[in-house]
Amino acid sequence: MAVLTPALVPPRVQGLRSSLLASLGLLHLACGGAVHGTSESSGGTENVAGAAGNASTSTAGQSGSGGQGMVHPTPHVPKPTCTSPQPDAAGVYVSCTEGYTYRKKSDRCRGVETGRDEASLPRVSGFVDCSADPSVCSAYQYGACQSQTPNGLACISLCGSDADCEAGSTCRCSGDGPGQCTYGDSCETDADCETGYHCASTYMGCGYTPFTCQSAQDMCFSAAECGGDFAVCTPEPIIVGDQAAQGARKCGPGSVCGRPFLVLSEPRLPAAVSRTDWLRPQAPAVAHLTTQERAALAEHFSQLGRMEHASIAAFARFQLQLLSLGAPPELVEACNQALVDETAHTRLCFGIASAYAGRALGPGPLDVQYSLETASLIDVVDLVIAEGCFGETRAALEALEAADNAEDPVIRAAYAGIAEDEQRHAELAFRFVRWALEREPDAVRPRIRAALATPPDSATLVAVPCLQALLAASSLAA
């Protein structure tokens, strides 16, 4: 195992990782004890929210401005560069060492079925169970039985080319066979963009990476230009008429995602609607902001409110799963508190969004269909590792980064409080996995190893050592 020393791991990451390991009593098992926190005197277990509360002054809000550790590039005069371009086998996607990938041309996936007219078949809509008979998926365009559900598998429609996908989405081929439609793309290839600029991947936070056109107005082309532990280079939302659109790329601290509500392997969110009962009135400074800046901040915090609202559903489902598995009362009580926390986060974020928007905003109805099936211990372990061990640790780190980069005391206090809560939620996730390991070690260990084999691109420096320490403790106890 590679040892990550304090010189190689950002202090914020060291602190959260040490705090989580200490809460589990496993600090001595992490990478041979080489993990250190942000404070020598505290042994690396200080409350991570304290770091956010002592953040230095930085620029305003979340409109792409940063502060401590954040670089502020000026708009690019030269066009984007791509050092050592690495095209994929089909020459469709080109990866650049600068940290982004662009889509050079459209592609037809290799090896797709040609013996039938796929275009004449309907695409999958809703839930189609294929656990007992995978062949039922053949009735759909590029049908495949591969979407995981708590009780089995469901059909999805893959794609052979961009033409099979809806507007605003592209077909991303992978290997030999159909690809998958991905949504939120505002361009398909470089041909849709200004000459010399790419249709490039753009990390928008929370695992969402659509393709959007670079432009001469961009202040950055990749997160590598921005600095900061979790800085992102992302298009600023703007308002064109009554519609939201994407403006210039700017450096920012990223989104604070909370625990995702995953159903059929996809996150679900409510819409943002006009209502007053879900907001807790807040008073961030707005007089110095332009109309576009206020609209961007309103959109940002509305999105956070939607994510936090979905987190309520994730914990409500987890509560039922804990009860069905006969979990101990301390886990049930911690989950109850998490529900209270996420409700408060939702009201807080919509309160801030409403202040920036100048009108009341709140969450609409949330689709929970197919989310409440009874799940086995292994199903719940898989879900908690994805939603909690990775999702919540990422949320805590992003909240700390956001607090460090917020000048407005209202925004800084909001993020600091969220960071403290998200750390406790991450602790709950790891405590549950430890309990599951003690209950069925032979069944749970392979699920943890599978998660470690392909970790998501989020919070790996925290979640991976914690999961490894749980495995080590389980082996010692065997």
Side-chain angles (χ1 to χ4, degrees), residues 124-364:
V124 175
S125 177
F127 176 77
V128 180
D129 191 347
C130 60
S131 301
D133 181 12
S135 68
V136 300
C137 301
S138 64
Y140 301 94
Q141 186 183 61
Y142 295 112
C145 182
Q146 65 179 54
S147 180
Q148 294 286 342
T149 73
N151 277 337
L153 297 170
C155 296
I156 64 170
S157 276
L158 300 175
C159 56
S161 68
D162 292 343
D164 298 321
C165 304
E166 298 176 1
S169 64
T170 59
C171 183
R172 299 193 190 177
C173 304
S174 178
D176 292 328
Q180 286 193 275
C181 295
T182 58
Y183 295 87
D185 299 325
S186 62
C187 58
E188 293 185 0
T189 70
D190 285 358
D192 296 327
C193 307
E194 299 174 48
T195 302
Y197 294 93
H198 298 302
C199 178
S201 59
T202 309
Y203 182 66
M204 306 288 278
C206 310
Y208 176 46
T209 310
F211 279 79
T212 64
C213 283
Q214 299 168 333
S215 76
Q217 286 70 49
D218 289 341
M219 295 185 179
C220 56
F221 292 129
S222 71
E225 299 177 56
C226 299
D229 297 343
F230 289 92
V232 296
C233 174
T234 185
E236 183 180 38
I238 59 174
I239 303 298
V240 179
D242 294 328
Q243 302 295 319
Q246 293 174 344
R249 285 171 167 79
K250 292 184 179 180
C251 290
S255 298
V256 180
C257 306
R259 189 186 188 105
F261 180 45
L262 300 176
V263 182
L264 307 180
S265 302
E266 295 292 335
R268 286 190 181 174
L269 294 174
V273 300
S274 296
R275 61 188 301 180
T276 60
D277 54 340
W278 265 95
L279 64 87
R280 177 176 297 161
Q282 301 292 311
V286 298
H288 66 294
L289 299 172
T290 67
T291 300
Q292 284 195 344
E293 287 172 335
R294 288 187 60 175
L297 289 165
E299 173 67 21
H300 177 82
F301 281 99
S302 176
Q303 178 74 357
L304 297 191
R306 295 169 64 210
M307 294 175 187
E308 298 290 359
H309 185 266
S311 295
I312 301 172
F315 277 111
R317 175 175 60 188
F318 187 35
Q319 188 73 290
L320 292 175
Q321 292 166 336
L322 289 173
L323 295 173
S324 72
L325 294 171
E330 56 268 22
L331 294 182
V332 175
E333 289 173 352
C335 190
N336 273 333
Q337 183 57 52
L339 277 164
V340 173
D341 295 339
E342 299 295 9
T343 303
H345 296 173
T346 304
R347 299 188 67 191
L348 176 66
C349 289
F350 276 114
I352 295 172
S354 299
Y356 285 127
R359 60 188 180 90
L361 294 169

